Amino acid sequence: DTTSHAFMLEAIREKVDADEARAAFHAEARRRLVRMKKTGFGIPAHEVLAYFRERAAGRNPQRPKPRKIE
């Protein structure tokens, strides 16, 4: 029982919220990349992915530790 106008406003609100969340995610990624390049510390992608696979499988793996990246 929603009017067409209310439906459109809600769709616009959802789109704006999603775009703002995406922009914030990308901004944080850029900040972290700058920090990683400045400090030289990071976690290799294959370790991060392995960690997430273990978590998705319901296990409680040890978090990978940042280290000097060459």
Side-chain angles (χ1 to χ4, degrees):
D1 293 331
T2 301
T3 66
S4 298
H5 185 256
F7 182 80
M8 287 185 293
L9 290 177
E10 182 61 27
I12 292 167
R13 187 175 303 111
E14 288 175 7
K15 176 68 171 142
V16 169
D17 289 347
D19 286 350
E20 288 174 349
R22 186 176 299 106
F25 176 81
H26 286 279
E28 180 65 20
R30 283 189 294 276
R31 282 191 294 276
R32 290 181 184 207
L33 180 59
V34 166
R35 185 176 65 205
M36 185 186 79
K37 288 180 177 181
K38 182 179 177 182
T39 66
F41 280 85
I43 303 171
H46 71 276
E47 292 181 19
V48 174
L49 294 174
Y51 171 77
F52 285 136
R53 279 191 212 99
E54 291 292 307
R55 292 287 307 261
R59 293 185 275 283
N60 190 19
Q62 192 171 19
R63 292 179 76 171
K65 303 237 185 295
R67 61 179 183 277
K68 202 72 161 166
I69 303 293
E70 298 177 19

